[in-house]
Amino acid sequence: MSKRWNIVAPVAAVMAVLTGCVTDPNSPGLEYMPDMYRSPAVEAYVDYGMDPYYVTEDVASAQRSTPSARVPVAGTIAFVGENKAFGLPYAYPNTPEGYEAAGAGLVSPLMTTKAHIERGMEIYEQMCSQCHGEEGKGDGALSRNGHIAGIPSYSDKLKDLPVGKMYHTLTYGKGLMGSHASQLSQKDRWLVIEYIKVLQQGGEMPEFDEAGNVVESAAEGAMAMNN
Ligand code: HEC
């Protein structure tokens, strides 16, 4: 038994080597696993039918009319990167109903932190204080010199204005205040709103912990511990 294998094994090996060699220099010879060294050349957005040498012509022709990647459908919104929350289109229409709905339903994607409030303050000083005044009392330079009248104070008339309405106004404008959608990105609009919330409280900064997060009031903290 073992003697017979002594002959069969070398003969099989020699035959395998010989059938692997062919005289035509352009022939690849016998390919034992063609898919390992010949992958289909698929490039993005190009129709590449698989080589009918490996699959049947039916399969290849079906693949030929299939792009290797598809263009996104119309209206697709990119949803990648760190600013995911700010890439979406604004859902509320520029109508009185849209304004009310934004006030009732729209919340900020931002946390109230020291860094956000401080960035909001910078934006406010650059783009808003000329009308609204440094402290948000409606007494900026343009108001004092009579160009724009009747700007409400954040800490008085607008004390309870919800952030959704602020965002709506920043996006579309309201009365004598124009839209700021082209000057401020969605994130910048929410950042400046973080600072308006401080001005609604008369400009007093909340208390922050070392990480810059707002410290809850003692009463709220005690309640959280009891739960
Ligand atoms: C050209 C002057 C002007 C500038 C600049 C301006 N505002 Fe106003 N803003 C107004 C006026 C006027 C109103 C009152 C609008 C009304 O109720 O008719 C107002 C109203 C508001 C309100 C209340 C909106 C509401 O829903 O009642 C907010 C919030 C506000 N502004 C935020 C800002 C912020 C933030 C900036 C800077 C990015 C800014 N404004 C820049 C003039 C201005």
Side-chain angles (χ1 to χ4, degrees):
M1 184 68 175
S2 69
K3 269 212 173 124
R4 192 173 298 159
W5 279 110
N6 282 346
I7 299 171
V8 171
V11 167
V14 167
M15 281 172 69
V17 169
L18 287 179
T19 52
C21 302
V22 283
T23 45
D24 179 0
N26 291 324
S27 164
L30 183 62
E31 298 180 331
Y32 299 101
M33 294 174 192
D35 53 342
M36 289 208 33
Y37 30 89
R38 286 166 186 260
S39 53
V42 176
E43 285 177 32
Y45 302 112
V46 180
D47 285 4
Y48 277 106
M50 293 273 279
D51 193 330
Y53 179 72
Y54 301 112
V55 294
T56 62
E57 177 54 33
D58 285 356
V59 174
S61 62
Q63 281 167 339
R64 252 176 237 133
S65 55
T66 309
S68 55
R70 289 173 184 277
V71 282
V73 291
T76 301
I77 300 152
F79 202 68
V80 288
E82 40 181 289
N83 284 345
K84 291 187 193 60
F86 305 106
L88 299 174
Y90 187 56
Y92 298 91
N94 187 10
T95 59
E97 295 76 35
Y99 176 74
E100 292 303 324
L106 186 59
V107 292
S108 175
L110 292 180
M111 299 268 293
T112 299
T113 62
K114 190 163 188 271
H116 286 159
I117 293 175
E118 284 175 356
R119 178 68 193 118
M121 184 165 87
E122 281 172 22
I123 297 170
Y124 182 84
E125 283 169 357
Q126 286 161 9
M127 311 204 47
C128 323
S129 60
Q130 73 274 30
C131 287
H132 285 275
E134 290 292 330
E135 292 168 16
K137 304 228 185 279
D139 56 353
L142 285 178
S143 165
R144 277 183 276 118
N145 65 21
H147 284 295
I148 309 233
I151 303 178
S153 163
Y154 294 128
S155 56
D156 178 17
K157 221 176 141 209
L158 300 177
K159 190 164 178 39
D160 299 316
L161 187 72
V163 293
K165 287 188 177 178
M166 296 185 200
Y167 190 87
H168 195 89
T169 296
L170 280 168
T171 302
Y172 291 125
K174 181 168 185 269
L176 290 178
M177 176 173 153
S179 161
H180 281 65
S182 64
Q183 297 94 318
L184 295 175
S185 69
Q186 298 192 28
K187 187 174 183 187
D188 284 348
R189 278 173 253 169
W190 285 117
L191 283 168
V192 75
I193 285 170
E194 283 303 318
Y195 185 60
I196 307 260
K197 290 197 301 189
V198 171
L199 293 176
Q200 283 180 313
Q201 305 305 314
E204 198 178 323
M205 284 282 193
E207 219 183 298
F208 301 108
D209 63 16
E210 275 173 24
N213 295 315
V214 175
V215 179
E216 289 177 35
S217 76
E220 277 177 72
M223 269 173 67
M225 276 171 71
N226 289 340
N227 286 337

